[in-house]
Amino acid sequence: MTRAAAPDAAFEHRSFGAPGAERTVFLLRMGASALSDPLPDTTARRDARIVAVGLTLDDIDDPVAYRGTTPAEASARGISRFVDEERRDRPIGLVGVGAAGELAIRVAALVGSGVDRLALVAVPRPESELGGYEVAELLGTIAAKTLVMNGRDDPDAASAAARWFAEGLPSARVEMVPQTSSPESRLVLAEVWERVLSHVAPGTLR
């Protein structure tokens, strides 16, 4: 297990799972649990190295009227360089959760064929029309097989959001989760971690 700052000391990250595994999965999310293993027992059953990158609201900020490079664009460039350094010239899996989902899309677009599997979990659609247009353009460039998982009754990321992302992706599968343990019906990553890993780290079950 490692815990350190990513390049440029901008992003704290932590690695868990199998250190020498051929398959690497990058996990992008925010919050107090961003650097924690979503479900250790499930992770341990996979021959995969997971690199969790902790993000803040400032890292994903993408104001539509911003002049020059937005914070989200700068973050995506920094993380994509980190991914390229860490993936050991092999394709990787990428997971974006909640508000970090759009940043995961930006990273996938920048890394290109270096990302062969992408999972978007409980990701709300862009709030503004202009923001939606920009994200939609990025979606069309992503060749990775993508899994979109949303909670059926999630107040921010339900079926309409899942369909919006899937319609813009060249290769996407939508799976809706009917029930969650959250009182607010929000999708919790730990509840779907096994399914997410089966997508972004295929063929790694021990």
Side-chain angles (χ1 to χ4, degrees), residues 11 26-31 33-35 52-62 72-73 75-76 79 94-109 118-127 135 138-139 142 150 156-157 165 189:
F11 308 102
F26 286 82
L27 172 60
L28 308 184
R29 56 179 176 159
M30 299 194 310
S33 62
L35 297 177
V53 179
L55 299 167
T56 67
L57 283 173
D58 288 339
D59 294 326
I60 66 169
D61 192 23
D62 192 33
E73 290 169 339
S75 296
I79 294 173
L94 179 63
V95 183
V97 182
E102 286 188 29
L103 188 60
I105 290 167
R106 290 186 180 278
V107 172
L118 171 66
L120 303 176
V121 181
V123 179
R125 64 176 295 174
E127 293 182 359
V135 173
L138 292 173
L139 291 176
I142 295 173
N150 280 5
D156 299 316
F165 284 105
L189 179 61

Side-chain angles (χ1 to χ4, degrees), residues 9-168:
F11 308 102
E12 192 175 20
H13 74 281
R14 177 187 172 207
S15 298
F16 44 84
E22 290 192 7
R23 186 66 175 181
T24 298
V25 173
F26 286 82
L27 172 60
L28 308 184
R29 56 179 176 159
M30 299 194 310
S33 62
L35 297 177
S36 65
D37 189 332
L39 207 60
D41 288 347
T42 296
T43 302
R45 292 196 293 270
R46 294 274 169 182
D47 185 21
R49 180 175 69 117
I50 315 299
V51 181
V53 179
L55 299 167
T56 67
L57 283 173
D58 288 339
D59 294 326
I60 66 169
D61 192 23
D62 192 33
V64 294
Y66 201 87
R67 292 186 178 182
T69 301
T70 69
E73 290 169 339
S75 296
R77 285 205 295 267
I79 294 173
S80 66
R81 288 195 297 268
F82 179 41
V83 168
D84 278 330
E85 292 172 2
E86 291 287 314
R87 69 184 182 88
R88 306 163 185 168
D89 294 323
R90 301 187 184 102
I92 57 98
L94 179 63
V95 183
V97 182
E102 286 188 29
L103 188 60
I105 290 167
R106 290 186 180 278
V107 172
L110 287 169
V111 178
S113 60
V115 177
D116 65 352
R117 296 291 181 113
L118 171 66
L120 303 176
V121 181
V123 179
R125 64 176 295 174
E127 293 182 359
S128 70
E129 183 177 348
L130 179 56
Y133 175 77
E134 292 176 348
V135 173
E137 282 196 319
L138 292 173
L139 291 176
T141 69
I142 295 173
K145 292 183 178 180
T146 304
L147 172 67
V148 183
M149 294 195 80
N150 280 5
R152 184 187 64 189
D153 300 316
D154 192 302
D156 299 316
S159 59
R163 287 196 304 271
W164 187 87
F165 284 105
E167 287 170 359

